[in-house]
Amino acid sequence: MSKKLWGGRFSKATDKTVEAYTESISFDSRLIEHDIRGSIAHAKMLGKCGIIPEADAKKIVSGLGFILDDYLAGKIVFDPSAEDVHMNVEKLLFEKIGEPAGKLHTARSRNDQVCTDIRLFLKAEITRILGLTENLQTAIIEQAEANANVILPGYTHLQHAQPVLLGHHLMAYFWMLERDKGRMLDCMNRLDVLALGSGALAGTTFPIDRQFVADDLGFASISENSMDSVADRDFVAEFLAAAAIIMVHLSRWAEEIIIWNTSEFKFIDLDDSVTTGSSIMPQKKNPDVAELVRGKSARVIGDLMTLLTLQKGLPLAYNRDLQEDKEPLFDAVDTVQMSLDVFALMLATAKFNAARMHASAGEAYSTATDLADHLVRAGVPFRTAHSEVGLLVAYCVDNNKEFSDLTIQEIKRFAPEAADTVASELTVEASVAARSAVGGTALSEVRRQIEKAKQVLGDG
Ligand code: ARG
């Protein structure tokens, strides 16, 4: 005779191999606080609506409170034969309060319970992610301000393109992260819906009060369709998409830091506290944090793929496949949170090599566009100016010269319309200062965006 809570129609015990294969308590125990919160709201509602006696509802609520206390005190040992967190809690409740525990699962199914748990879990974890993202954004602003006048090469194709301020470069990531937060908030608003009350799939025969449960749990609204509620994990996929995009942002930034940290670039010096050594090469100080951020982005992208693939062939409504949503979700939550946290630390403690960046910014004809723009202001059509400057660059390459080595006569040989004072417009400082249109790299514009960024964070 089976001892399972659902064991009535079974004449044989579950095979141990099957039990081990189907259990989820080894990972979904992580949802226990949300599960208990949901059960407390449900029990209160059952009592209030007269679906179970008020006295039993009270016993259930206080018993669940004790289980939570026990859990937080590390006193609970979960039972894999009770399958998942929902059944484990019910079993523990029976041990605490006896027979009234059996009334908790009235007008409810694990199917509407589990997606309620995940929604509560995600609301809490997204809030944490938003806070960690803001910490990183604060570190960006601090470094952008501390290095306000540092000029480095801006790249396209990883080739010198035009000089930019380091603050401008860093602030680019601020705005990416701001959109990442927007995606997380969108996700949070869309998942802020009560699923409980949907039953196994078709709703319930009992006169439940879903609004009461939604209010108690802090959900903004109630789901409209019981089958949709228990079947769909689009909100998990949406969260993972937003999480994967955060990781991709961090990963490309990590790649940049790894390049900047090479002895070829020497643009950045990472603090000893965020780097690691080599077991064989005594001289090494490796940017492992940045490499692991880049590496861990693969996991989160994989987590998203898992959720999409998991759902693509599922008929309505609930299918046990959906139990496989949790590990990728937990993995992504942990990975994104740790990555944001460690990245903020790495950035806040980094030292930028202003002299090296400045020297590099002036190389490789990075102010060629400024010369072309100068000629345009003298009336030359841009395409002609482009071609004149191109020929001048070819001359420099052939003669192993930088722009700063040129005499005005050499410049005028290729660009006769150039003013005698043009050299002063071809410094990296002049190049940066000239880009003062909104969103450009001029110091005034970088200062403006930093002010705007501070407002954005303040409003949040
Ligand atoms: N552990 C399951 C899950 O995570 C619980 C949901 C319902 N289980 C069931 N057999 N109907 O999806």
Side-chain angles (χ1 to χ4, degrees):
M1 202 29 210
S2 168
K3 299 193 306 295
K4 299 279 192 229
L5 290 176
W6 41 251
R9 62 106 72 210
F10 290 79
S11 54
K12 271 191 187 173
T14 314
D15 187 284
K16 285 288 162 205
T17 314
V18 171
E19 216 166 70
Y21 192 67
T22 54
E23 68 85 24
S24 57
I25 187 63
S26 56
F27 49 88
D28 69 11
S29 59
R30 183 166 173 173
L31 294 172
I32 190 169
E33 291 184 50
H34 304 294
D35 194 76
I36 288 178
R37 244 186 96 204
S39 287
I40 288 175
H42 182 68
K44 284 200 280 194
M45 181 278 290
L46 291 177
K48 179 194 83 82
C49 295
I51 298 169
I52 64 171
E54 276 280 13
D56 287 343
K58 289 213 164 72
K59 280 181 202 147
I60 291 171
V61 169
S62 78
L64 288 168
F66 287 129
I67 295 170
L68 187 56
D69 292 344
D70 286 353
Y71 173 75
L72 295 174
K75 285 198 227 148
I76 288 194
V77 182
F78 292 109
D79 174 8
S81 76
E83 257 182 62
D84 56 24
V85 65
H86 325 294
M87 303 283 249
N88 266 273
V89 169
E90 196 175 318
K91 187 166 164 278
L92 290 163
L93 185 63
F94 191 81
E95 287 162 19
K96 284 255 184 256
I97 66 167
E99 194 263 334
K103 297 186 178 172
L104 171 60
H105 212 55
T106 311
R108 183 177 83 168
S109 154
R110 280 185 290 166
N111 298 351
D112 56 353
Q113 203 182 343
V114 68
C115 54
T116 304
D117 291 6
I118 302 172
R119 284 168 194 265
L120 287 170
F121 168 80
L122 268 175
K123 282 176 73 174
E125 298 302 334
I126 289 175
T127 304
R128 214 164 283 163
I129 288 171
L130 293 174
L132 289 164
T133 309
E134 292 196 351
N135 290 347
L136 178 54
Q137 288 179 303
T138 303
I140 293 174
I141 291 178
E142 280 168 11
Q143 286 286 25
E145 286 190 315
N147 296 282
N149 292 306
V150 175
I151 297 177
L152 77 158
Y155 296 88
T156 60
H157 315 273
L158 206 52
Q159 307 277 316
H160 282 56
Q162 293 167 348
V164 291
L165 287 181
L166 178 56
H168 197 53
H169 190 120
L170 294 174
M171 286 301 291
Y173 292 105
F174 178 96
W175 301 111
M176 292 181 214
L177 292 170
E178 191 55 30
R179 291 191 297 278
D180 287 333
K181 277 163 42 194
R183 270 180 283 272
M184 280 290 170
L185 272 173
D186 275 357
C187 172
M188 173 127 94
N189 290 333
R190 236 186 312 280
L191 68 77
D192 194 6
V193 179
L194 178 78
L196 216 54
S198 300
L201 78 162
T204 176
T205 57
F206 295 96
I208 57 173
D209 182 347
R210 296 189 71 197
Q211 190 59 51
F212 175 91
V213 179
D215 291 343
D216 192 88
L217 294 176
F219 281 110
S221 64
I222 299 170
S223 64
E224 296 290 345
N225 183 304
S226 60
M227 296 182 81
D228 173 33
S229 312
V230 296
D232 207 351
R233 297 289 182 275
D234 58 354
F235 63 99
V236 180
E238 190 175 349
F239 167 79
L240 291 174
I245 294 173
I246 294 182
M247 288 306 295
V248 167
H249 281 154
L250 295 184
S251 179
R252 62 187 298 183
W253 192 1
E255 166 68 7
E256 214 164 63
I257 287 172
I258 293 162
I259 294 173
W260 286 10
N261 188 57
T262 58
S263 54
E264 287 80 7
F265 269 75
K266 286 202 186 67
F267 279 7
I268 197 171
D269 187 17
L270 298 175
D271 197 70
D272 279 5
S273 62
V274 300
T275 45
T276 52
S278 159
S279 60
I280 169 170
M281 296 167 284
Q283 84 283 13
K284 292 299 288 284
K285 181 172 132 177
N286 294 325
D288 291 31
V289 165
E291 290 170 285
L292 279 169
V293 167
R294 191 177 57 184
K296 284 173 190 282
S297 68
R299 299 170 68 123
V300 180
I301 294 168
D303 294 332
L304 170 61
M305 289 311 124
T306 301
L307 253 289
L308 293 173
T309 314
L310 179 64
Q311 293 179 75
K312 70 180 266 296
L314 292 188
L316 293 183
Y318 178 83
N319 299 272
R320 189 64 178 269
D321 313 47
L322 292 175
Q323 181 166 292
E324 291 293 312
D325 62 356
K326 283 165 211 64
E327 285 163 296
L329 172 61
F330 296 159
D331 180 66
V333 164
D334 293 341
T335 306
V336 169
Q337 290 179 353
M338 286 191 299
S339 301
L340 286 166
D341 204 18
V342 79
F343 214 109
L345 191 66
M346 176 170 68
L347 178 64
T349 54
K351 301 246 177 329
F352 294 96
N353 188 340
R356 190 58 212 121
M357 285 182 165
H358 189 274
S360 178
E363 292 167 2
Y365 320 106
S366 65
T367 57
T369 316
D370 297 271
L371 178 54
D373 288 355
H374 170 88
L375 298 174
V376 166
R377 280 189 286 275
V380 182
F382 181 78
R383 199 44 65 206
T384 310
H386 187 289
S387 157
E388 289 180 7
V389 178
L391 288 167
L392 177 64
V393 168
Y395 166 82
C396 290
V397 171
D398 287 347
N399 294 280
N400 200 20
K401 290 183 179 204
E402 289 289 340
F403 277 174
S404 52
D405 303 324
L406 295 173
T407 63
I408 186 66
Q409 288 75 23
E410 283 173 301
I411 294 176
K412 285 194 171 181
R413 197 184 316 156
F414 295 90
E417 306 84 352
D420 290 344
T421 54
V422 67
S424 67
E425 291 178 41
L426 303 184
T427 64
V428 293
E429 286 79 8
S431 172
V432 164
R435 283 175 172 71
S436 56
V438 175
T441 193
L443 185 57
S444 56
E445 267 308 292
V446 175
R447 288 234 160 93
R448 187 198 54 76
Q449 58 172 305
I450 289 175
E451 281 321 302
K452 177 103 181 257
K454 285 181 180 170
Q455 273 172 28
V456 166
L457 284 190
D459 292 348

